[in-house]
Amino acid sequence: MKPKLLIPAVAAVVVVAIALALLASPPGTGGPGTTQTTTSPSEATPPGSGTTGGQNTQPATAVGQGAQQTPSPTQTTPSPTQATTKPPRLSGAITGGGSTFVNPQMITWSKRFYELTGAQVNYQSIGSGAGAAQFLAKKLDFGASDVPMPRDKYQEVKGRFVQFPVVIGSIVLVYNIPEAAYEKTGKYLNLTSEVISLIYMGEIKQWCDERIQKLNPGLKLPCKDIVAVHRSDGSGTTAAFTLYLALAYPPWNQTVGWGYTVKWPADEKAKGTGAKGNEGVAQTVLQTPYSIGYVEYAYWWKNRDKYDKIGGVAYLKNDNDGKYYFPTAEAVSAGADAGLRRYVAKYGAPPSPDADWNPVSIEFTNPPAGYPILAFVYVFLWKDYAAEGYGDAAAKTMLLKEFFKWVLADGQKQLVEGYIPLPESVARIGLQALEQVKP
Amino acid sequence: MAIFLVLFITFYLLSAFTLLFIKTRWGLRLIAAINVAIIAALVATFAWEALPLLERDGLAVFVNSDWDPPRESYGVLNALVGTLITSAIAITVAMPLAVGVAVTINEMLPQRLRGVFGALNDLTAAMPTVIYGLWGLFVLGPVLQSVVNTVSTWLGFGEVMTAPLTLFTAAILLAIMITPYAAAVIREGYALVPRHIEEAIYAIGATKFEAVLVKLRYVKNYIFGGLFLALGRAMGETVAVAMVVGGNFARFTLNPFESGITISSLIALQFPNAHSYQFMVPALFAGALLLAVVGLAINAVAIYILQRATT
Amino acid sequence: MGVLAVLPLFLIIGDVMFKGVSAIVKQLGSPWEFLAWLPPDPLADRWGVGRLLVGTLYSLWEFLTRLPPDPFADRWGIGPLLVGTLYMTALGAVVGFIVGFPIGVYIGEMRKEAFANVARASVNVLVEFPTITIGLFVYAVFVFVIEDLNRTLLSPLSEWLTSALGDGVGQFIGPLGGYNAYAGALALSIIMIPYVALVTASAYASIPDSIREAAYSISGREFKAMFIVLRKAVSRAVLTAALLGTAKIAGETAPLLFTALGNIYYAPFTQATAAIPLWIWYAAQTPYDVQIESAYGAAAVLLVIVLTLFAVAKLAAQKR
């Protein structure tokens, strides 16, 4: 009998020993976990080190005219300012989660911060709704969402938490119509908020509907049923998207409304289908002929060649200035600028970190000019982690503050395509917010 | 509240102590009570967490097909119907297969291969479900779509399956997953057919086919038992189904070729953000409660049938 | 018919293994890279094959310890996932076994008692419980207990242990985060209990009465008869049950969704913890080729783990 007892015992010992060995090795110095042996921050971006493949430090100039222009993906110029504020070596681990909208960016920040400091900022893209919810349930150390804390929840925890934007993102509409694919026709679809609303309301059922055809005289659209793909989980992308439709097309507001999860009329009246996360929607549209879906810019950008083969991405009409915009970095920043200006004109200065940010996101959506669907990505932090009952609060707070301080300063220069850096004045709000977090 | 955990551990240590040093019998009884306690705790937790919504809506939550979080209106009927459709199709496909598999393995195959195929059958039951999901997502879904559309076009119905990820995909994937499971139960019964009965069947000059029929009637309780156990498994399966079912929770549909949702995948997809809403957590726990109660009922039937078979 | 039933199995294993292994091989890089300075034909060199082996093993080790990919990565591994899965599975299996085994003995040995029937029914029910509901249950329990647990027990305990044993302890014991490996392991152990109990029970029930009487007569105490003497008669079946149960929980995803959450680093087990099935579930639903590839790669590794456990279990059951 003895040897038989030995086997599981030895196995357990081996497992524990391996785990110990892996964990005990000081983070960042390689350890068995990383092959990237980054030594100094200025060398943190060797090509092919794993985290910087398709990343570009200056999206505003590099993205250009969308798919027509292809910037070389390996063109990663280490920013000169990167070495100016060198974060100290850190250790420890925190877990945040939420928005899938910001996931590619957050993961890139997290990996870069890990290379710089050795601290592990785990980010799980579980959806914005979940980000806010699990943050409130104190299951996550920080939450990230594409919409501010909802009003009712805000009232509940008012004064105990701060929220601030970390980056600006935009939502694009991707479609899969093999007959009208960009590769075949050389043209992308034109869409308006009204047509999008009607598709998701199930009123427009086929691609050859004259309301779509009228916008696209040059394209011959097939008479196939439209599969309207939406999120099956709670999502800030949905919130930002439905908020846009609600603001731009009033009937949408009356029949559907906006929120993390809404009841899609297309599901009942036409062919709606759900998918999990931005990832899932992007994937489903790729796989499903005659579908349309809304995803964060980065999810389209990375796979734009694939979309061009089966369909493409839509030009969107800004109802306020009547022009069609292709989702380019310029168009999105133009929209962001216009939105911010409108907000400042209406309310004066941007709000403080513990204020309700919902008015901001409303003014910011459907701006007077530029690409119309864009959103801030907000981060939620508690003001006092110890009082909220977090274990190991001091270490966590320190790590959170260092990370977001870095994100708001140097992090803004290391953006993935499709994200727009925060204007200086808005980034400052975030820094104020961090000061309110008790160490 | 930590007191519960402490109590549980104390309870276990106490029973282990009793078992070792005082009276083995009572120690064992106490430990066995843990298992009963777990089930009681499961059901009690679900009921407790679901209470706010049950108080608000009563049992309407189970017959309401509306899932509209912005208006705080929740009903799990869509998911329940989705669960029933997928499990019904899965069982219909799987049961004849399972009987066939059990018969083939036990009757047709030579002794040497029997063990191999039996082991492979067991392996199919033990494979991680997420791997089934991965395969369903990338291989089964697209293949099924083209097969179904080819057949339906040939029959003159046009293309009925517009997306690769539908209730039907989930049902077929489930059928693949539960066939070996049901087959294992049936084989177990098959192995218990007494030698003298088998000899008697052949003695009266039955052909192999007739013999199989007679034996199947002899083990019919096992077939039903296997059916119900497989049904329970099909209804509770989460990850593989959630990956291929399409995730459409808003529409009430009876058409299996459309994307839908099941209770367990509804929980998996909606639970993370449920705390943003006032009544979504209770609604999902109500779903879990329903799943648990239905599961309990089905298992009770299966266990009853199987126990009648053994005695 | 038999072929038809196992056909999907081969299709699935074939698909996952083919795509997974090719994804892994792509990550390994050529072992020849390590040998670039060698004479072109390694077989001509007396040590060439050895070096080739070392090179392969080294790159395999790198793959098994590297971090999983972000959407823009081109080198990735499964390190944290593997560690998390092994840790939670091992813990879950141990707890599941020490609770499940005595329950099985009780049901098998004292099956004439009324309560034994209740216990048997409860085990039969628990084995069929949807695993997602078990995850939900553990989630609810942890929400309930975690704050008090941290304050009253874990914070002082970890401080004391850290001062006694050094910082390494913090990786295992400390104030728990909202998601952690222990919640995951607890959920897995609840799934494991009935597996072990059922097989143990049927093994004990199948002991011939002559042996049972002999065991009771020579051992004096009930405990000794049940756990020491009779165990010899059933050890093989019980070992098989333990291994099969372990294989089962190693691949479980649903119970981990709300308990372990997932991670992309080697985080302490008191925090959100990675697991291979969780990664497959997440990465398979992304539009990024590198992550889909990594899902297949991770699936291949998971499959190897499960198949190994399964094969060992079957061999253990058959050997006489």
Side-chain angles (χ1 to χ4, degrees), chain A residues 126-134 136-137 150 152-153 224-225 227 230-235 253-264 266-276 283-284 287-289, chain B residues 65-72 78 137-139 142 145 159-165 242 245-253 255 257-261 265-266 268-278 280:
Chain A
I126 50 179
S128 290
Q134 302 295 303
L136 291 176
D152 52 334
K153 295 285 166 187
K224 297 278 189 179
D225 289 348
V227 180
H230 56 77
R231 295 283 292 272
S232 59
D233 51 344
S235 124
N253 197 23
Q254 287 144 24
T255 48
V256 185
W258 66 281
Y260 289 133
T261 302
V262 298
K263 192 183 173 198
W264 298 97
D267 280 358
E268 287 167 51
K269 295 185 192 158
K271 293 200 156 91
T273 188
K276 182 181 150 283
Q283 179 68 19
T284 307
Q287 276 187 358
T288 316
Chain B
S65 72
D66 197 35
W67 187 270
D68 193 355
R71 297 187 175 80
E72 292 284 346
N78 290 348
L137 185 61
F138 289 109
V139 182
Q145 187 185 10
E159 301 198 338
V160 292
M161 198 161 154
T162 46
L165 305 181
V245 79
N248 175 348
F249 46 81
R251 171 181 41 185
F252 180 83
T253 179
N255 179 357
F257 296 112
E258 287 183 351
S259 70
I261 193 92
S265 47
L266 180 74
L269 293 170
Q270 291 277 298
F271 189 75
N273 71 301
H275 288 275
S276 302
Y277 300 96
Q278 203 183 348
M280 201 197 277

Side-chain angles (χ1 to χ4, degrees), chain A residues 125-170:
Chain A
S125 66
I126 50 179
S128 290
Q134 302 295 303
F135 168 74
L136 291 176
K138 290 162 198 169
K139 286 269 182 178
L140 293 174
D141 301 327
F142 69 91
S145 166
D146 319 336
V147 285
M149 189 63 79
R151 278 215 180 88
D152 52 334
K153 295 285 166 187
Y154 172 78
Q155 293 302 335
E156 277 172 34
V157 290
K158 191 177 171 183
R160 279 158 59 202
F161 83 112
V162 290
Q163 52 184 341
F164 55 92
V166 288
V167 77
I168 297 170
S170 55

Side-chain angles (χ1 to χ4, degrees), chain A residues 358-404:
Chain A
N358 282 297
V360 184
S361 70
I362 286 173
E363 290 306 318
F364 200 64
T365 314
N366 195 20
Y371 189 79
I373 321 183
L374 29 96
F376 278 127
V377 176
Y378 297 87
V379 160
F380 310 131
L381 296 177
W382 293 110
K383 277 188 181 170
D384 188 346
Y385 277 82
E388 300 296 337
Y390 279 81
D392 213 5
K396 262 181 191 162
T397 316
M398 201 270 286
L399 204 52
L400 283 166
K401 289 176 88 160
E402 284 294 334
F403 177 64
F404 285 109

